């Protein structure tokens, strides 16, 4: 038996939001290309890398945010990680010598803020532990690297970040119990 479709398919119309996103995407790409071109033409320090990362931050945070992990803990950790990367880029490409102190202070403060975000509304936020674990692990690795690099002249915020990130990791793993494998599967989209 054959079924004949008598109604034509309605034409697909783009929404105003998708049209605006396409326009903004083209403007972002044009401005990124112009910044790199001007930086290469003018010479000097590589400030265009910082502009490119800033454009990426604006794109991922405001224009095209996450659809699945859009909660206050994951968005906050995303802002912190991207800001730390921005600080390191500024330190490497523009001025140097201060990023280790500032990034460790930002990570220390972010860990405290994320703990407050989690434990002020634990019932709703307990399913959002994975971004907190990732931020804690990143802070832990960062503080270990900074302690190795600094060669005995370790500022106070680095060991404090080390201890706090280790404590947060332990608390998160205790809170999650046996669910860490399922959360990691969700993160890497495996079955």
């Amino acid at each position: 038996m054959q079924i004949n479709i008598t109604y034509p398919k309605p034409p697909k119309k783009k929404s105003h939001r998708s049209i605006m996103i396409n326009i903004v995407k083209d403007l972002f790409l044009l401005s990124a290309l112009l910044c790199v071109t001007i930086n290469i033409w003018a010479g000097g320090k590589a400030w265009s890398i910082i502009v490119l990362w800033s454009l990426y931050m604006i794109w991922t945070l405001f224009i095209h945010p996450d659809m699945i992990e859009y909660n206050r803990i994951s968005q906050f950790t995303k802002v912190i990680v991207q800001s730390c990367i921005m600080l390191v880029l500024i330190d490497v490409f523009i001025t140097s010598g201060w990023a280790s102190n500032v990034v460790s202070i930002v990570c220390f403060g972010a860990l405290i803020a994320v703990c407050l975000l989690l434990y002020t509304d634990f019932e709703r936020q307990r399913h959002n532990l994975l971004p907190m674990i990732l931020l804690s692990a990143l802070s832990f690795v960062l503080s270990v690297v900074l302690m190795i690099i600094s060669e005995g002249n370790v500022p106070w915020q680095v060991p404090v970040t080390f201890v706090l990130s280790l404590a947060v990791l332990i608390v998160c793993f205790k809170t999650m119990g046996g669910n860490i494998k399922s959360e990691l599967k969700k993160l890497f989209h495996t079955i």
Side-chain angles (χ1 to χ4, degrees):
M1 177 175 178
Q2 279 191 346
I3 300 173
N4 293 326
I5 299 174
T6 57
Y7 299 106
K9 283 186 177 181
K12 290 186 178 181
K13 292 195 293 187
K14 285 191 170 187
S15 66
H16 294 294
R17 183 178 188 280
S18 65
I19 292 171
M20 288 303 294
I21 286 177
N22 286 335
I23 291 171
V24 171
K25 179 179 70 173
D26 292 341
L27 289 174
F28 270 44
L29 291 173
L30 178 66
S31 61
L33 183 65
L34 284 174
C35 285
V36 170
T37 305
I38 291 171
N39 191 199
I40 291 171
W41 178 70
K45 296 183 178 183
W47 54 267
S48 62
I49 294 173
I50 295 158
V51 173
L52 292 175
W53 188 257
S54 301
L55 289 172
Y56 174 76
M57 283 178 64
I58 292 169
W59 181 264
T60 59
L61 293 174
F62 300 114
I63 298 169
H64 203 273
D66 298 333
M67 296 302 238
I68 296 173
E69 287 289 328
Y70 195 75
N71 55 60
R72 63 185 187 171
I73 291 177
S74 64
Q75 292 304 307
F76 183 76
T77 56
K78 185 178 175 180
V79 167
I80 293 300
V81 169
Q82 288 183 354
S83 299
C84 288
I85 292 171
M86 173 67 83
L87 291 170
V88 169
L89 288 175
I90 291 171
D91 184 61
V92 169
F93 292 107
I94 303 294
T95 62
S96 61
W98 54 268
S100 61
N101 294 333
V102 175
V103 170
S104 59
I105 290 172
V106 169
C107 289
F108 171 77
L111 286 171
I112 293 173
V114 167
C115 287
L116 289 174
L117 286 173
L118 174 70
Y119 291 112
T120 54
D121 190 14
F122 185 73
E123 286 304 315
R124 286 192 338 186
Q125 297 298 323
R126 67 181 170 170
H127 301 291
N128 302 325
L129 281 176
L130 194 58
M132 190 170 173
I133 289 173
L134 293 176
L135 178 66
S136 303
L138 181 70
S139 299
F140 180 78
V141 169
L142 177 75
S143 59
V144 168
V145 168
L146 288 176
M147 282 195 272
I148 292 170
I149 290 174
S150 61
E151 300 173 357
N153 190 13
V154 181
W156 65 270
Q157 64 270 15
V158 176
V160 170
T161 305
F162 174 79
V163 171
L164 184 64
S165 61
L166 185 62
V168 170
L169 278 173
I170 291 169
V171 168
C172 285
F173 284 131
K174 290 284 187 184
T175 303
M176 288 184 82
N179 293 336
I180 189 70
K181 284 185 180 179
S182 65
E183 290 296 324
L184 287 174
K185 284 181 181 181
K186 289 178 192 174
L187 175 68
F188 295 110
H189 304 293
T190 59
I191 296 175

